[in-house]
Amino acid sequence: MNPLITVSNLKVYFPVYGGLLRRVVDQVKAVDEVSFTVGKGQTVGLVGESGSGKSTIGKSIVQLVDISGGEIEYDGKKISTLHGKDFLPYRKRIQMIFQDPYNSLNPRMTVEQIIGEPLEIHFKQMSKPQRRVRIEELLELVGLKKEHIDRYPHEFSGGQRQRIGIARALAVEPEFIICDEPVSALDVSVQAQIVNLLQDLQQKLGLTYLFISHDLAVVEHLCDYVLVLNEGKIVEHGDPEQIYQSPQHPYTRKLLDAVPQI
Amino acid sequence: MTQALLNVKNLTIEFQGGNKAVDDISFSVAKGEAVAVVGESGSGKSVTALALTRLLPQPPACAIGGRILYREKNLLTANNEEIRAVRGKEIAYIFQEPSTSLNPVFSIGYQIAEAIKLHRPEVKDINAEIVRVLSLVGIRNPGQRLKDYPHQFSGGMQQRAMIAMALACQPQLLVADEPTTALDVTIQAQIIDLLKELKQKTDMSVLLITHNFGIVSGFADRVIVMFRGKIVEEGPTQEVLKNPQHPYTKALIECIPQLGQKKERLTTIDYSKIV
């Protein structure tokens, strides 16, 4: 399978300032020499506790944080050195879904404005009525209703808001979606709905996912390949069945033991 | 079963506009017992928890009916002084989001001291008491850490500090409203273990409110399942989990993904089949 994205020796260090002159006295190695690939149409799970660096990896791919070293290749082209205008086309091809559906939607914008904003940037030729039709299509794609287009975020439940977030990511017809804990703020019953929606969309649109989560049960269900991250390093990787049946690293075992079982 | 510590009878809570959030529910919690209330958001479980010590703002909550008997005393008709003696001191709370429940401009120690001064004026050495409760909840080096501010604590430690604050008043009943929802699985397991341990040590009762059947199974003696403001099922935890009677309980258990049991699709709740 052709890798869509290849991350090699990725490093993200954050400076620690200290002393009277606020000089850099130390570094936090949030991501330390991480390498992995995601094949086209695959779902790769990135698992770890908070602070393990999993979200930082997701953010560094879309350049929401600066990387300190290593390379990111997308579809055979090195994207980690691109900036500004050169990176813009990749912002269309790579999208992100965030954890908290309450904080990731602007409360002063209507659903039309929220989903329309990426369209204004990446589909400049689209007229306003065309855009409205496209937004209505997207709402139906994620299981919402056309009539919801003029509403504000506070009028929706948590699960519905997450659907709006997904519609916004899908608006620009991306190939690759980074899902940063998309279901951990939701009720278990709603979580199941959103996970199913993500699976349906993947089949329908041929999407590739990087799925970041601390919930191993969800990851096992959804992912083709799993990377276990601890303190910025990948400590174990493999097929979900293999990892769950015979975890090699003590940290993986600790994570597995923590999953509540009925 | 021993005598009930808390006895809720025919509790009904209506909001302005006629929305019945809680509709005629009755349940009890015995001394030393752990009871879990399980339901989705909107099922009325948190509203029930807040109503226990009249923490619901009125309005918008209005028309609260029924009786909440705590040690045979009806809290719904108690005067302000009486209810204040129960809040925190007898019935303590921990909430979902530890980062918003703690005051960011006061140190952890100060906030715990506040609770001790208010509810246990007989305590002479407040500092020693803070150190005691912080070490009880497993915070290392409590003598130093009590000077820290909430932002210097991680999410799991903040929740531990919240539990320490609740314990500082030596409550009879601890109401834990989604205490682990904002936390990672590993931290969640730690907090649940901690609650279990504290329950054994102090013999307090716990009312655990959650949407996740997963954390209930190893913790609660009894489960109450709420759906749209009503109790649809109630019973010993293992019995309910193994042999759920109500279709809603079944659906709620089925929708949890389980390790090692990979399905093509996750089961979702079909509300049309639940009457």
Side-chain angles (χ1 to χ4, degrees), chain B residues 11 55-56 112 130 138 144 163 165-167 196 224 238-239:
Chain B
L11 180 70
L55 286 174
L56 285 176
I112 297 175
I130 300 170
Q144 289 297 313
I163 297 172
M165 205 183 292
L167 289 178
K196 238 190 268 182
I224 294 166
Q238 293 310 323
E239 235 166 77

Side-chain angles (χ1 to χ4, degrees), chain A residues 260-262, chain B residues 196 212-220 223 237-238 241:
Chain A
Q261 295 284 313
I262 292 175
Chain B
K196 238 190 268 182
N212 192 346
F213 256 117
I215 65 168
V216 171
S217 67
F219 183 74
V223 186
T237 307
Q238 293 310 323
L241 284 171

Side-chain angles (χ1 to χ4, degrees), chain B residues 73-196:
Chain B
K73 186 167 188 56
N74 189 355
L75 298 182
L76 284 182
T77 54
N79 63 33
N80 281 343
E81 216 162 290
E82 288 168 324
I83 196 100
R84 244 182 266 138
V86 172
R87 267 183 209 149
K89 172 81 181 133
E90 299 284 331
I91 304 178
Y93 286 84
I94 45 176
F95 296 103
Q96 174 172 0
E97 191 73 60
S99 53
T100 51
S101 317
L102 290 164
N103 190 333
V105 300
F106 293 108
S107 70
I108 298 285
Y110 181 92
Q111 296 185 52
I112 297 175
E114 204 177 5
I116 297 173
K117 277 184 208 156
L118 189 66
H119 292 294
R120 292 168 65 202
E122 74 280 3
V123 176
K124 294 264 153 40
D125 191 349
I126 291 178
N127 241 24
E129 184 62 17
I130 300 170
V131 171
R132 190 185 71 84
V133 290
L134 281 178
S135 53
L136 200 62
V137 297
I139 293 210
R140 265 175 268 164
N141 201 359
Q144 289 297 313
R145 296 314 294 260
L146 63 85
K147 292 178 199 145
D148 281 359
Y149 287 84
H151 74 266
Q152 290 166 295
F153 274 34
S154 68
M157 282 170 74
Q158 287 179 353
Q159 196 59 291
R160 282 169 194 269
M162 283 300 299
I163 297 172
M165 205 183 292
L167 289 178
C169 314
Q170 299 181 323
Q172 295 299 310
L173 173 67
L174 181 69
V175 182
D177 190 356
E178 304 258 13
T180 61
T181 307
L183 306 172
D184 266 21
V185 267
T186 40
I187 313 296
Q188 166 173 300
Q190 287 171 16
I191 295 289
I192 292 295
D193 284 345
L194 173 67
L195 286 176
K196 238 190 268 182

Side-chain angles (χ1 to χ4, degrees), chain A residues 188-228:
Chain A
V188 272
S189 52
V190 182
Q191 171 178 313
Q193 292 171 10
I194 297 293
V195 167
N196 286 343
L197 173 67
L198 287 172
Q199 273 183 312
D200 291 344
L201 291 170
Q202 182 167 40
Q203 277 180 2
K204 226 183 263 176
L205 308 169
L207 296 167
T208 306
Y209 290 140
L210 180 66
F211 192 85
I212 300 170
S213 178
H214 65 257
D215 187 337
L216 284 107
V218 175
V219 168
E220 183 197 22
H221 173 77
L222 205 62
C223 298
D224 307 307
Y225 200 78
V226 178
L227 311 163
V228 183

